[in-house]
Amino acid sequence: MTKIQTRDMTAGSAQKRQLAIDLIFVGLAAVFFLLWAWQSSYMDGPDELMRYDIVNYLVEHWSLPRGDDPSIINPIWGFSYAFQPYIPHIFSALFIRIAKLFTEDMHVLIFAGRLASVFFGAGTVWFTIKIARKLLPAKADGWIFIFLVTFLPQMVYLNSYMNCESMAIFSTAVIVYSWIIGLERKWDMKSCIWLGVGLSLCALSYVTAYGFLLCSFFLFCLTILLCQDKKWDFKSMIQKGLVVLAVFLVLAGWWFIRNAILYQGDFLGLTARDICGELHAQDAFKPSKHWTIKMSGVSASEALKMLFWEWKWHSDTFKSFIGIFKEMAVLIPTVCYTIYKIIFAVGILGCIIEIPKLLALRKDGKWLEKGFFNWFMILALIIPNVLNLYASYAIDYQPQGRYSMPMLIPLMYFTVYGITKLLDSFIKNKMANTVIKILICVIVLGISFVGFWSYRVACLSMN
């Protein structure tokens, strides 16, 4: 046997071991999500009851409901969530139908409905691992990123009840992965298909993730036109863009065509939803009468002062991004929020120090793909928060971190980038460096278990 054959066999064995470790980790994460999903027999996740109305309709009729179907209109708000995409609920209905073959126990059926979120969560973990292997080749660095994404308490909670946010987060992980392989492979057929799949999942999930659609468009176009061997190759951009568009239209186009047909051209369903609410909501909750800061006529500067200084929108949103459960009623210990503040502060400091390298777009007269990637990761981090803030200003004041969750992958990427740059700069001892990185993972996991216990105690007190 030659040295080359031996080396290939060794590399193959290492890859198999790594794959086994990754699959075991995903499996253990899924079990953790399942434990959270089993805790409560009540539909106590934010909006879970309104989501279940759609799931129950699908279980009973096995057809897609209109948003204004009387059987699913909420009696308070006067509309349903069926005006917007509800793909996860189709999977929830399928799981409940299967469960009904064996039992009519309501706890089991609710648990079955939550399996859709569990599977999307497991998918996010899998793609997070793939992203870590590409962006953070140092194993310890990669595992910090994986732990921060997987075990953020709010992330775990979103993967344990019926919602659309879990699919939105999953779609962002697929999109970021497609960006990475697209830049590596000069946007070959495979990466274009992956991008089309990610964009389709994003469009069919939740509107706060839509910033990734915008970022993907510009990253795709700019890196093809500026960063490849042949500059300004519009023909290549259009040809590859058509592949992405074709995948998008096949996987997601049907929903928006259906909406346009059902709601007189309103392909997003937003105007139709407001009309429905105006007709059926309780008087105080009609869109024309429901109080908002925007409706009150205050200036933009006064609105920001009200949101940030008087109502502490940023503080409440931050806490619920880390983890607040059961309709914003169950918090984790204050020290857990403080630890995450420290983690993010250190990460931000490290990124600030590395800004010239992190955000450089040109070097030696050439455009840098990594620079474009980092800029659009920043934009993808900012947009969900802007949409979240605007919603509290113009639609309904809800300082909830779940609306900012699409920033999870970019946020944790920059956090880990900054932390590891500082550690590698100031702690040269390899053993000490590795121990600190392992300790960060242990702390993150520990906080997630604290969140689990807080949630469990709350569930037991209600059961």
Side-chain angles (χ1 to χ4, degrees), residues 311-355:
W311 295 352
K312 304 296 182 184
W313 180 90
H314 56 292
S315 177
D316 292 340
T317 300
F318 173 81
K319 286 184 177 179
S320 58
F321 177 82
I322 303 304
I324 300 181
F325 322 121
K326 281 185 173 290
E327 295 284 2
M328 301 290 288
V330 178
L331 285 76
I332 56 179
T334 301
V335 66
C336 297
Y337 301 114
T338 302
I339 290 172
Y340 266 100
K341 285 180 181 179
I342 294 171
I343 289 173
F344 292 143
V346 174
I348 291 170
L349 177 62
C351 287
I352 290 173
I353 293 172
E354 289 283 318
I355 277 181

Side-chain angles (χ1 to χ4, degrees), residues 51-339:
R51 298 290 180 185
Y52 183 74
D53 289 338
I54 299 173
V55 174
N56 191 50
Y57 183 99
L58 290 164
V59 171
E60 292 182 357
H61 303 281
W62 206 236
S63 62
L64 302 180
R66 290 173 54 104
D68 55 1
D69 189 293
S71 65
I72 61 173
I73 288 179
N74 182 271
I76 297 174
W77 292 97
F79 63 84
S80 77
Y81 282 128
F83 286 103
Q84 280 75 56
Y86 46 82
I87 305 305
H89 307 336
I90 297 174
F91 291 104
S92 293
L94 176 61
F95 288 130
I96 290 177
R97 277 204 161 199
I98 294 172
K100 275 180 168 286
L101 297 175
F102 306 96
T103 183
E104 290 294 329
D105 185 288
M106 195 61 187
H107 186 187
V108 175
L109 296 181
I110 293 174
F111 174 74
R114 291 168 173 170
L115 291 179
S117 293
V118 171
F119 277 100
F120 280 120
T124 300
V125 176
W126 174 248
F127 275 95
T128 298
I129 292 172
K130 294 175 76 68
I131 291 168
R133 299 284 179 261
K134 296 286 188 180
L135 291 183
L136 303 159
K139 283 189 177 181
D141 299 357
W143 280 112
I144 297 175
F145 175 71
I146 294 164
F147 270 68
L148 282 171
V149 172
T150 302
F151 295 114
L152 183 76
Q154 190 67 32
M155 162 69 173
V156 179
Y157 185 51
L158 287 172
N159 295 329
S160 70
Y161 70 89
M162 285 174 270
N163 59 68
C164 288
E165 285 94 336
S166 58
M167 179 176 168
I169 299 169
F170 172 66
S171 75
T172 66
V174 175
I175 289 173
V176 171
Y177 177 71
S178 75
W179 289 359
I180 295 168
I181 63 172
L183 298 180
E184 279 184 352
R185 303 178 180 184
K186 306 300 181 184
W187 294 107
D188 63 356
M189 179 66 72
K190 182 178 179 179
S191 58
C192 287
I193 291 173
W194 270 118
L195 179 59
V197 170
L199 296 179
S200 301
L201 292 168
C202 182
L204 293 174
S205 60
Y206 208 79
V207 67
T208 54
Y210 279 17
F212 276 87
L213 304 179
L214 180 69
C215 292
S216 296
F217 173 79
F218 285 108
L219 178 69
F220 179 83
C221 293
L222 289 173
T223 52
I224 289 178
L225 294 177
L226 297 176
C227 300
Q228 299 194 9
D229 293 335
K230 185 178 179 181
K231 300 294 187 293
W232 303 105
D233 190 353
F234 286 97
K235 180 179 179 181
S236 175
M237 183 188 74
I238 292 171
Q239 289 175 339
K240 294 175 179 181
L242 288 174
V243 173
V244 178
L245 180 62
V247 174
F248 180 86
L249 290 176
V250 169
L251 296 181
W254 64 274
W255 172 268
F256 300 101
I257 293 171
R258 175 180 179 270
N259 262 17
I261 294 171
L262 291 179
Y263 310 124
Q264 292 75 50
D266 182 13
F267 67 95
L268 291 177
L270 298 176
T271 301
R273 182 195 64 187
D274 288 345
I275 292 172
C276 185
E278 197 65 37
L279 290 172
H280 302 290
Q282 293 181 9
D283 197 56
F285 295 93
K286 294 180 183 294
S288 62
K289 297 182 179 180
H290 182 59
W291 185 89
T292 64
I293 300 175
K294 181 180 180 181
M295 185 186 295
S296 66
V298 301
S299 65
S301 59
E302 284 297 314
L304 289 174
K305 180 181 177 182
M306 188 181 297
L307 285 165
F308 285 92
W309 280 271
E310 295 179 20
W311 295 352
K312 304 296 182 184
W313 180 90
H314 56 292
S315 177
D316 292 340
T317 300
F318 173 81
K319 286 184 177 179
S320 58
F321 177 82
I322 303 304
I324 300 181
F325 322 121
K326 281 185 173 290
E327 295 284 2
M328 301 290 288
V330 178
L331 285 76
I332 56 179
T334 301
V335 66
C336 297
Y337 301 114
T338 302
I339 290 172

